[in-house]
Amino acid sequence: MFARDLMTPDPFTVTPSDSIQRAAEVMRNVDVGCLPVVHDPKGRVLVGMITDRDIVVRCVAAGHGAGCTVAAHMTTPPLRTVPPDASALDVIEQMEEGNVRRIAVLNSDNRVVGIIAQRRVAAPERTSAPVAR
C-alpha cells in the first residue's frame, strides 16, 4: 500500500493570511483536524500546517482572538511530508519521527495533492476518507 492509497486527495487548504476563525470554520465544516497552509490555493505549494490543537494551544489558550492569522499559529517548515509513491511503512516512520498524526502528500513540484491522517494508516480498510474538494 502506498501514500496515494491512504491519502484524502485534494484536501481543503487555508492561506497564511486567513484568520484562525476561518481555519476553524473550515475544519468544522469538513470534519477534519488539520489543514495544509498554502500561499495560493491554486498553486497549492505547502508553506505550513494548522491543526485544531495549534488553534487551541497557540491561539485560544494564549489569549489571542479569532481574528489572528493562520501565519501566527501554524507549524512552519521543516514539515514532515511524503510523496504519493511512499510506502505505508515510510508514512508511519515519518509520522513517528515527526511525532505527528497527519502528514501532507506532495507531488514532485511540492504541491499538496493529499493528506493522510493517522487513523487511515491504523485501519486503512475500515476508515473512509472525509470528503475533500
Side-chain angles (χ1 to χ4, degrees), residues 92-129:
I92 292 167
E93 287 174 354
Q94 285 296 318
M95 287 178 153
E96 287 176 348
E97 288 174 13
N99 194 28
V100 295
R101 294 181 294 166
R102 300 160 191 105
I103 195 162
V105 181
L106 306 182
N107 69 12
S108 60
D109 294 330
N110 289 324
R111 297 182 193 289
V112 177
V113 295
I115 195 159
I116 302 172
Q118 186 178 33
R119 64 189 169 118
R120 295 281 296 164
V121 176
E125 68 282 346
R126 293 187 319 207
T127 308
S128 62

Side-chain angles (χ1 to χ4, degrees), residues 4-57:
R4 72 177 145 272
D5 303 316
L6 297 167
M7 73 182 192
T8 298
D10 195 25
F12 283 84
T13 62
V14 290
T15 67
S17 61
D18 282 332
S19 69
I20 285 292
Q21 181 174 352
R22 170 150 167 46
E25 288 170 349
V26 171
M27 288 181 195
R28 178 198 61 204
N29 292 345
V30 298
D31 193 26
V32 298
C34 179
L35 295 169
V37 182
V38 298
H39 274 301
D40 173 18
K42 292 181 183 178
R44 300 181 67 87
V45 174
L46 186 68
V47 297
M49 298 284 277
I50 187 81
T51 68
D52 48 5
R53 182 168 169 76
D54 293 335
I55 293 170
V56 170
V57 173

Side-chain angles (χ1 to χ4, degrees), residues 58-91:
R58 296 178 183 172
C59 184
V60 176
H64 295 258
C68 283
T69 64
V70 168
H73 302 292
M74 69 184 192
T75 301
T76 58
L79 298 168
R80 296 291 176 153
T81 64
V82 295
D85 60 350
S87 71
L89 182 58
D90 290 338
V91 172

